Amino acid sequence: MVRLDRMGKIASSFLTTNQASGSDGAELVLDILEKDIYTHEEPKKRDIMLATVPKPIISGLAKAIEGQSSSFDLTFMVRGKILNHLRKVTDADDFLVNTKIDELDSELLAEACKTRLIGGPNRSDDENRESLSKWLEQTSIRPASKISAGGLHYNGNLARAALMCYHAVDGARDARSSSYLPRLLFQGQQQAPVVEEEEVVTRKRRSRRGK
């Protein structure tokens, strides 16, 4: 319950922060979870296997990836499906960082974004290209730079899972999405009680603007 409550507060801080959408919102996700994603000690197996992520979030992410899931699936089976998907995404990321994104055709761009739950329908190639480039920067290029500097370990599964959760919500509240009811819930413009994570979001946004 403690983990779920913390995750709920973090999620609410994103949804109630003005203009926390697109790549800016994704950066806020990584900022708030930075101490969990980058650690001085090597991540434990349970952290890499996402065992510390609350079950409702795991279930929701699995449904977003597969489009549907059986109610009879046990938690470890659902988590296994997510880890398998993340493994494929990680392998693809390793390949794409050495590929010229500008040379990918529309179909490949759309498929790459869909696999990562980025965006929704009616997005232009330029939008997909920008989003995919930003994803690679956040999940592969930047982490490699931090690790090479020494002293840090990177939990790529947690980073990618967190970003996919964010992008799933961000896609639902896109004005071009057909999911108008979730969009009304996820506008992110409503006032809500300030929680600790929301204060962190505000400080991060001010810091970025000052640079």
Side-chain angles (χ1 to χ4, degrees):
M1 290 299 295
V2 174
R3 284 181 291 157
L4 184 57
D5 181 63
R6 176 172 179 261
M7 288 292 183
K9 288 181 178 179
I10 291 175
S12 67
S13 69
F14 299 142
L15 299 178
T16 58
T17 299
N18 188 37
Q19 297 181 347
S21 59
S23 297
D24 288 342
E27 287 290 352
L28 292 176
V29 172
L30 296 178
D31 284 341
I32 290 180
L33 295 177
E34 184 173 13
K35 292 182 179 180
D36 297 297
I37 294 172
Y38 296 99
T39 56
H40 292 288
E41 296 182 356
E42 186 174 356
K44 297 179 180 178
K45 183 178 180 179
R46 65 194 306 265
D47 297 321
I48 296 175
M49 301 293 286
L50 305 180
T52 56
V53 178
K55 293 179 182 179
I57 295 177
I58 289 295
S59 178
L61 180 56
K63 289 179 180 179
I65 292 172
E66 296 185 337
Q68 61 180 359
S69 61
S70 172
S71 58
F72 297 103
D73 284 348
L74 300 177
T75 301
F76 79 90
M77 295 174 62
V78 175
R79 202 181 303 273
K81 292 179 181 179
I82 292 177
L83 292 172
N84 185 52
H85 184 82
L86 289 174
R87 191 176 302 110
K88 293 178 180 178
V89 170
T90 301
D91 290 342
D93 287 349
D94 292 341
F95 172 78
L96 288 172
V97 291
N98 297 310
T99 301
K100 293 183 178 180
I101 303 300
D102 291 342
E103 296 181 357
L104 295 180
D105 60 31
S106 299
E107 184 176 352
L108 288 176
L109 274 173
E111 182 62 28
C113 289
K114 178 182 178 182
T115 300
R116 293 159 180 78
L117 303 184
I118 297 174
N122 302 317
R123 280 166 55 94
S124 68
D125 286 353
D126 288 340
E127 287 178 294
N128 285 336
R129 191 171 287 111
E130 180 181 357
S131 295
L132 181 57
S133 296
K134 192 66 177 179
W135 169 281
L136 294 174
E137 164 65 26
Q138 294 166 333
T139 63
S140 297
I141 300 174
R142 187 187 305 165
S145 177
K146 286 192 174 187
I147 293 173
S148 65
L152 289 177
H153 296 273
Y154 172 58
N155 188 341
N157 280 350
L158 180 59
R160 289 181 173 87
L163 285 177
M164 289 176 70
C165 287
Y166 165 76
H167 283 299
V169 173
D170 194 49
R173 62 183 177 179
D174 190 306
R176 292 165 294 187
S177 173
S178 61
S179 53
Y180 66 91
L181 287 178
R183 186 165 68 250
L184 291 175
L185 294 173
F186 298 150
Q187 284 300 317
Q189 309 300 325
Q190 305 299 319
Q191 295 296 321
V194 176
V195 295
E196 180 181 355
E197 286 78 7
E198 186 174 347
E199 293 175 346
V200 173
V201 169
T202 302
R203 289 198 298 270
K204 292 289 186 178
R205 290 180 64 82
R206 289 174 180 171
S207 176
R208 290 183 183 281
R209 290 174 180 173
K211 294 180 179 180

